[in-house]
Amino acid sequence: MTQMRWLELLSTVRFGSSKQNTEQARSPFHKDYDRIIFSQSFRQLNRKTQVHPLTQHDGIHTRLTHSLEVSCIGRSLGMLAAEKIRDELPMWISPADVGAIIQAACLAHDIGNPPFGHAGEYAIREWFDDASHGDFLSSLTPEQQADVRQFEGNAQGLRLLTKIDYHPNDGGMRLTYATLGAYLKYPWLSKTIDSQGNTPASKRAKFGCYQSEKEILQQIGHQLGLIQYGEYHFCRHPLTYLLEAADDICYALIDLEDGIILNMLSYEQVEPIFLNLLGDYGTPAELAMPYTTWQQKIAALRGRVMKRLVDEVTSAFAKHHFEILSGQLKGSLLQYCSPDIEAGIDCAKNLAREKIFEHPQKSGLEIIAHQSLQHILDAFIPLTTPNKIHNFKEGRLLSIISGLGVRFSDDHYDNIMQVLDVISKFSDHQAYHLAQELQGNKVGFL
């Protein structure tokens, strides 16, 4: 049976760069983390929706605070997992190195998400699915059409990391192949949509790479020795399972805290879920102390629950190490932990789904978010048609988007992707205010 090798999987070679690392203070993987955290795309996550669009509450998670928390859990998972499989790793790799790889990949895991969270993704997909916009897709190949009609934050993130930020079309952030591999949750292309608007297997299946970056995907797969299932289709990097677990742990538990802050949930609804996830780790003393606030109680519970989850997930990683390296592991690592853990995480997600995701307050804001992106697409996508003669209004719009770095060419697909690059970088508030201006609801005079 074919197995991947850690010697290749932990490659320090940088995509798009031939320079060798000469620093003693920072490993190549710590350098990846620094490049991501100082990037403009990462800063933009500060006012991007995690769950609640356009929120004015300072205590609610944004994509940025979520990504920072996921990176902390990812680092712990990486270091402990590496300790548990220490004999399988190259001599020159330390547990801290593995932790740094996952920490960097986790930091970037949402970097390609558009404003307004999943509502933003739906708005972009539905705009291109609209039959009245079919003319803008007629010159695209079926595969290119699938990219825009299934707009995917994961694929957009790979584009940002490897082509957009720092070194445009010349390696992007020039991260190590190890970090890029760990980032790629779905190392395959979008599926072509048929005439009924469905993919052959399932509608809107997640993917991690657009047609425009498929050769980059190929390079990453070959450099890391990922098992190849088909053309431009590889198995996951083993460390991606730990990234996925870190993300699941954070959003399943912390979404509930945000729900309490916004009065969508009560602490009394959330406490039993955390207690059930504790197992034998003991009930925190804070729960019985007089005058303890719910914030202090939930912080104590969260800390112990996350410690247990890190222990369980890394044990599952070590136990199923052979299957992971063989590309045979099905599902997520949480499914291979103690049965009460998967049940507890599912319970947390179900409570969030029922009480938060369907809350009227959230739904109303998502409608505003959806309409905002649709207005922006209405304005800018018509400009992407090659050799088009623009009227006065279109000329003004072209001036706006050119100021954001767009340079249109005779390649219609590339023009559309450039517009999506700009839109996906917007924060919630930037997108909302631009949409208002485009509708004439804000006078742009001083």
Side-chain angles (χ1 to χ4, degrees), residues 267 270-279 282-284 287 301 305:
Y267 170 76
V270 174
E271 183 188 83
I273 293 174
F274 280 77
L275 288 173
N276 288 338
L277 282 167
L278 278 178
T283 302
L287 269 62
L301 285 166
V305 168

Side-chain angles (χ1 to χ4, degrees), residues 10-12 27-33 93 97 100-101 104 176 178-179:
L10 301 175
S11 172
T12 61
S27 77
F29 312 124
H30 287 94
K31 198 169 183 179
D32 286 345
Y33 180 89
I93 283 287
D97 288 327
I101 293 169
T176 63
T179 294

Side-chain angles (χ1 to χ4, degrees), residues 113-125:
N113 284 37
F116 311 125
H118 292 304
E121 286 184 313
Y122 292 135
I124 295 171
R125 294 167 186 167

Side-chain angles (χ1 to χ4, degrees), residues 74-93:
R75 179 186 59 207
S76 297
L77 288 170
M79 292 178 70
L80 189 54
E83 289 283 4
K84 292 179 178 179
I85 62 164
R86 188 66 183 265
D87 292 342
E88 306 290 336
L89 299 177
M91 291 286 292
W92 53 271
I93 283 287

Side-chain angles (χ1 to χ4, degrees), residues 331-392:
S332 71
L333 286 173
L334 288 169
Q335 296 172 241
Y336 297 88
C337 297
S338 300
D340 65 305
I341 285 184
E342 187 182 9
I345 293 292
D346 285 344
C347 187
K349 290 179 179 179
N350 289 335
L351 181 61
R353 193 175 296 115
E354 294 168 10
K355 301 296 185 181
I356 298 176
F357 297 157
E358 300 300 326
H359 196 281
Q361 175 185 330
K362 183 174 185 295
S363 298
L365 289 171
E366 284 182 335
I367 291 170
I368 296 172
H370 188 280
Q371 291 176 334
S372 294
L373 281 188
Q374 294 258 315
H375 286 305
I376 293 172
L377 291 163
D378 284 341
F380 293 127
I381 294 297
L383 306 178
T384 63
T385 302
N387 305 314
K388 181 179 181 182
I389 298 174
H390 300 115
N391 59 31
F392 176 80

Side-chain angles (χ1 to χ4, degrees), residues 24 39 46 64 68 73 103 128 132 163 175 178 209 227 232 257 304 337 354 396 412 423 437:
Q24 295 181 339
S39 70
N46 186 40
L64 184 139
L68 288 169
I73 298 298
Q103 185 181 26
F128 286 105
S132 66
K163 287 181 77 170
L175 304 178
C209 182
I227 297 169
Y232 303 109
E257 295 185 44
R304 293 202 183 191
C337 297
E354 294 168 10
R396 298 296 89 200
H412 197 185
I423 292 174
E437 289 182 0

